[in-house]
Amino acid sequence: MAQKIGVYIDTGYGIGEALDVEALSQVAVKEYKVAVCRSEPYWSDPEKLAIIRNDITTEELTAIIIAGPSRRVFENVFKFDGIITERVNLREHVIWCQPPNHEDTQMLAEDYIRMGIVKTQKYDDRAPFSEATEKAILVIGGGVTGLNAAVGAANAGYQVYLVEKEAELGGWARKYPKVFTGKPPYDELIPPRVAEKIQAVQNSDKVKVFTDSQVFEIAGAPGMFDVIIRPNGPWVDEANKRANDWRAEQLARAARFAGEKQEPAAEKEEAVGAWGVGERREPDYEHTRVAVGSIVLAAGWRPEDAATFEHLGYGKYPDVITSVQMEELASKGKITRPSDGAAVQSIAFIDCTGKDNEKPNLLYHSYVTSLVALKQAHYLRLSNPDGRAYIFYENMRTPGQYEKYYQTMQDDPGVFLSKGEVLGVSNGGRQLAVEVKDTLLAERLKVNVDLVVLGVGMVPVTQDSAVVNLRYRQGPFLPVNPQGFNDSHFICFPYETQRTGIYTAGCVKQPMDFHQSGTDGLGAALKAIQCAELTAQGKAVHPRAGDQSYPELFVTRCTQCKRCTDECPFGMYDEKPDGTPMPNPTRCRRCGICMGSCPERIISFRDHSVDMIGSMIKSIEVPDEYSEKPRVVVFICENDAYPAIDMAGINRMQYSPFVRFVPLRCLGNLNLIWIADSLSKGIDGVMLIGCKYGDDYQCHFVKGSELAGVRMSKITETLQRLVLEPERIEVHQLGIDEFAQIPVLINKFIETLSGFDPNPFKGF
Amino acid sequence: MAKEFIAEPDLGFTKDLLKSGGGDLKKCYQCATCSVACKVSPDNQPYPRKEMIWAQWGLKDRLMNDPDIWLCHQCNDCSTLCPRGANPGDLMKAVRKMHIESTCWPSFLGGLVGEPSMFVVAMGIPVVVVLLLVYFLNGFNFSGPSPVNYGTFINYIAIQVIFTLALAFAVVSLVISLKRYWNSLEANIPIEVQGPRKGFVPSLIEALKEILPHTTFKDCEANNIRYAAHLLTFWGMIGLLITTAIVAFNIDILHLKPPSQNGPGTVAIKILGNASAVAFILGLVIMTVRRLTVPDETGSSAYFDWLFLFVIGGTGLTGLVTELVRWAGSVPGAYFFYMIHLMFVLALLLYLPFLKFAHLGYRTVAIAWGRSVGRNMTLATAAKYVPPAKPAEEAAAE
């Protein structure tokens, strides 16, 4: 559909003084024949906005282009219902980083006007996806976290389904005799108040509780999840085995791929690699089927297997127990030895989260185990004023206000603390002998105690089974990070997982204490509500909150290569019976990675397509090879790179005027055809700047820039075919705080290119 | 420390330490700022950090056999710099008190003197002895003709017998106590020492060479004023002892009149005596006032500290008052305060091995022993930091 475009050039901010605005207008009017073109200072002022609105009505405009400040400012000001709004950055990306009234600066500005207009012309007319309107919330796990999430969501007016695998609600809190107060002066212990929470849930008419049940399967997408809940039975072990076997096979396959130099071409992997593809069996077993909008995963933790601590006497001596068993022992009142029932006078607490432990997920749980050791030492001291508690640790971590509790326990003369490495526990006659080296007493020592308590780690239940049992082609599991916990962009989106609409809270996410778990549950419930509401309006949740576009496929040309399906970090695509990808729009985060991956270029968004970007590149004016004005296209991701360039502009850092920035949603959004488009247009070099990837990734879409890097490695062949130097392409990772690198990278690249002949395709 | 050490914390000992003035000892988290800050602590196994963890773990054996507790001069640099307010200086002081109590002979007197609730009984003994002396010799008759003649109030012989006996007892008791200490250092020290041993006498001479001018004490920063004040009191007391010895010698051997009766050599003796008294008292006043006004710099004060100040300060003050009252012309007044003065002196002598006064013996022994094994007493001035030489090209590029 042809757009009727109005171009509004902002002459404020010094733009009017630094550029020939008249010439810019001529580009819009003469070259592109836009319907309206005006130049005024500060279009964000209310009187000026009124002019635009008037134009929209009188000229029947369908699209507005504001050429002025960065699109990251005035987002809510330049909003016109039903009208396409595009922004061209003449401020941060032009006049603030280039000398005023210079020929090259003018050419830069004119190119951006061209690119902006061409982009706007390529918008498509598509309605938002409005079929996902379910707003009920599923909470998996009925411990403190899940209870808080359920009550919170119910109080906000949402229907909640709470699934708990045990026969009673309450989780671990029911099993502790005492917990911390969570209030100053942090020197006491009180019984846990989980009964109140359980009561609140049972009293609420908005919460439907399923105890002694688990989630059998979740299909669908946010706003339209289709959940099957079943009472416990033999199916649990069978389902877990199937899922775990599948996962083991996937990992083995990945290991083989990493080990081999070349992957055998076109191996048919669908049958084994896919999950949940094909006809869905109608349930012929006892179950409840519910429709929900979003999900809170609060399934919690289980203790680390203490069998790994044989050298500390576990399993050998009945008086060596885990911290979990210690809670049970203490809840009986007087603390007695398991072996002979005698009263316990002395206990050695050993923190088992030391550096010798190679399992990566245990790197983080002495966040809680130090506190547990102190609390249990407190149990002993409360019940026995002559009791002695020895605590041996690699680290003593008592986060936040719990430092006060640590100081309280430190002041107790019966608590003996020392850093140290426990060498072993042996038979000391009636007692147990604990041998420790590298202590604060500067030597190896031994203590004789009645009881030894091992501080074991907290393992998320998702280590043992999928729990969510997703009927997604990418598998039933939530992807995990190297520590074995659910993976998310931790800094920006703490509750998120790599499956849209599913939010984690509590110890399944990271080790945390009772109070923090409760708060975490509330936080996740809020996210879940946000997801349900936005999805019902056809909008993306995060990071592109409010985005109403979604990918559509021109299926006729699909070759079923499944690159989009495999590369999507969020498992958006399932598979149709004929093998073509089946999009689930509400799972989508609109990153465009699939669009970049498709070699047939069949995927597009309403406001973002392969043709659009290709056309933008082709609209760039490329001077001939005698002008000594090279041209460089720089693809930048909108999350880190675009803001970094804005920052460079704000700091008035100057760099080469020969670069043209093309913003993408993510570097993974890059389609290789655009490289070919650039080079065949005569562009001398292409640079990609995106967020960092790797184990501590910053990429807001998890692995976009990594995928871009992988794709670029395959471009070398194309370049050689075109007889062009591979050094004409550069890929860089940048954090927003590294904006000072922008001029360095760009100027260095221009210098590198100056060593080559100009692109021979100029002027073709 | 290759041999295995079985830790058996003595909970009662820790509680005693907490009561004796080491109240914040459990706060220590072994950062070692104190050991680094201490100017007089040796580089090898310094103090007071290890003493803090031993105290927290109730390891009585180690603390009671540790030479370092008496090498500490309670300057308080450690306490002022401790980031936790664990007051290691106070803990060292508390251990010293308990050490005296555990090594002194006879030990029941150590307990008597150290226990606050026994104050009346402990002080009562010298009071009663002097009262009895005055009663039997004089019938509490304080009047007499002018000028004051102390010898007529109480016979000098009686004084000398009683006080020599008291002094003898103190010396014997101190020697036995210190011998116990020395033996425990030889046999049971909880730290490693190595190197050639010097003999006792040369070590003692070296120790005295350091103690007399207070060389080590001068290094302390936080409570540096006490170095000067203690120097005054220390030499003041020595001056007073010399004065007393000369006067006694003049009276007994040479049968000359004492200076109070303007006997020969009066002026020189009077100058020595009064100058010593002024120095003695001035030092004590400074130390007492500082304990009251700036406890952060001096360390907190417990019963054991105040008791010693009371006895020794009382000795000085009553002596001074006695002289002043004599000058003022009141004969009964002079005799009365003389009697009070005798009570204080007797207390000071009798309880020398049990009060904080015993530090004069213990610290000397510790320093002598340290010299004998080579545990360096004062840190040599640290070598000036010399940055590593830059490679030639870097230097040329600049």
Side-chain angles (χ1 to χ4, degrees), chain A residues 388 390 392 403 406-407 410-418 435 440-441 443 445-446, chain B residues 1 4-7 9 11 14 18 26-30 53-54 56-57 59 62 84:
Chain A
R388 293 192 218 150
Y390 302 89
F392 297 110
E403 176 75 9
Y406 163 61
Q407 288 176 358
Q410 233 201 338
D411 279 343
D412 186 334
V415 176
F416 305 101
L417 299 154
S418 176
E435 207 179 319
L440 289 173
L441 290 91
E443 57 195 290
L445 62 80
K446 209 186 225 188
Chain B
M1 287 292 107
E4 196 164 73
F5 164 60
I6 300 179
L11 212 50
T14 311
L18 289 167
K26 287 286 285 173
K27 294 195 176 135
C28 168
Y29 54 20
Q30 295 287 292
I53 188 81
W54 289 345
Q56 287 185 346
W57 276 62
L59 300 177
R62 298 196 153 195
R84 260 305 185 94

Side-chain angles (χ1 to χ4, degrees), chain A residues 16-326:
Chain A
E17 290 77 26
L19 296 171
D20 180 353
V21 176
E22 191 43 48
L24 284 181
S25 307
Q26 290 305 303
V27 168
V29 172
K30 289 272 156 53
E31 287 181 36
Y32 291 95
K33 315 275 196 286
V34 297
V36 172
C37 181
R38 294 190 196 275
S39 332
E40 290 282 336
Y42 306 115
W43 281 107
S44 50
D45 282 351
E47 323 92 69
K48 304 283 169 57
L49 288 172
I51 300 176
I52 300 179
R53 284 201 200 91
N54 192 39
D55 280 348
I56 291 172
T57 328
T58 54
E59 301 287 335
E60 294 174 346
L61 299 176
T62 57
I64 308 282
I65 298 178
I66 311 285
S70 163
R71 67 188 198 181
R72 289 167 63 240
V73 298
F74 297 131
E75 275 181 71
N76 287 331
V77 171
F78 296 120
K79 235 193 192 132
F80 307 98
D81 274 331
I83 304 291
I84 296 164
T85 310
E86 259 301 320
R87 306 285 293 275
V88 169
N89 193 335
L90 293 181
R91 190 178 72 173
E92 284 87 335
H93 288 192
V94 180
I95 63 155
W96 278 358
C97 58
Q98 302 297 339
N101 297 311
H102 190 282
E103 180 186 38
D104 289 325
T105 312
Q106 184 69 22
M107 291 174 89
L108 176 63
E110 286 177 9
D111 269 344
Y112 278 144
I113 298 277
R114 291 188 186 101
M115 287 160 74
I117 295 174
V118 165
K119 182 169 194 235
T120 312
Q121 286 174 339
K122 295 285 179 179
Y123 267 61
D124 208 342
D125 209 13
R126 284 182 212 166
F129 186 82
S130 52
E131 293 160 36
T133 54
E134 194 50 63
K135 293 189 190 172
I137 295 175
L138 174 70
V139 177
I140 304 178
V144 157
T145 315
L147 290 170
N148 262 14
V151 170
N155 286 345
Y158 292 82
Q159 174 66 42
V160 177
Y161 302 105
L162 178 60
V163 179
E164 166 55 51
K165 71 170 188 248
E166 292 197 12
E168 284 179 51
L169 292 171
W172 285 101
R174 254 188 20 252
K175 303 178 187 163
Y176 304 153
K178 293 223 170 85
V179 294
F180 300 108
T181 59
K183 287 200 262 276
Y186 302 98
D187 57 359
E188 278 190 317
L189 299 173
I190 52 169
R193 285 203 279 261
V194 70
E196 296 163 17
K197 294 207 202 318
I198 296 175
Q199 198 61 40
V201 161
Q202 284 166 341
N203 287 346
S204 170
D205 55 357
K206 288 228 142 224
V207 182
K208 188 144 194 284
V209 179
F210 300 85
T211 47
D212 202 19
S213 306
Q214 294 187 48
V215 168
F216 174 68
E217 194 174 67
I218 298 177
M224 45 197 285
F225 281 118
D226 179 7
V227 182
I228 297 179
I229 301 167
R230 284 177 77 172
N232 283 329
W235 68 266
V236 176
D237 286 338
E238 284 162 20
N240 288 342
K241 184 168 187 321
R242 242 185 87 229
N244 284 328
D245 283 347
W246 178 88
R247 179 163 67 171
E249 177 52 40
Q250 295 300 300
L251 291 172
R253 183 188 307 269
R256 281 200 301 272
F257 180 70
E260 290 174 41
K261 294 243 170 62
Q262 277 168 13
E263 168 82 345
E267 204 183 81
K268 280 276 181 228
E269 292 188 10
E270 292 95 307
V272 191
W275 176 269
V277 173
E279 275 303 310
R280 198 173 178 200
R281 213 179 98 211
E282 273 307 304
D284 55 357
Y285 39 78
E286 190 193 339
H287 71 287
T288 313
R289 196 162 183 167
V290 295
V292 300
S294 52
I295 299 166
V296 172
L297 176 62
W301 62 282
R302 51 110 175 141
E304 183 192 354
D305 187 6
T308 49
F309 302 118
E310 273 181 63
H311 66 291
L312 295 174
Y314 190 77
K316 201 162 150 199
Y317 305 108
D319 294 327
V320 177
I321 59 175
T322 66
S323 45
V324 178
Q325 290 167 319
M326 176 66 187

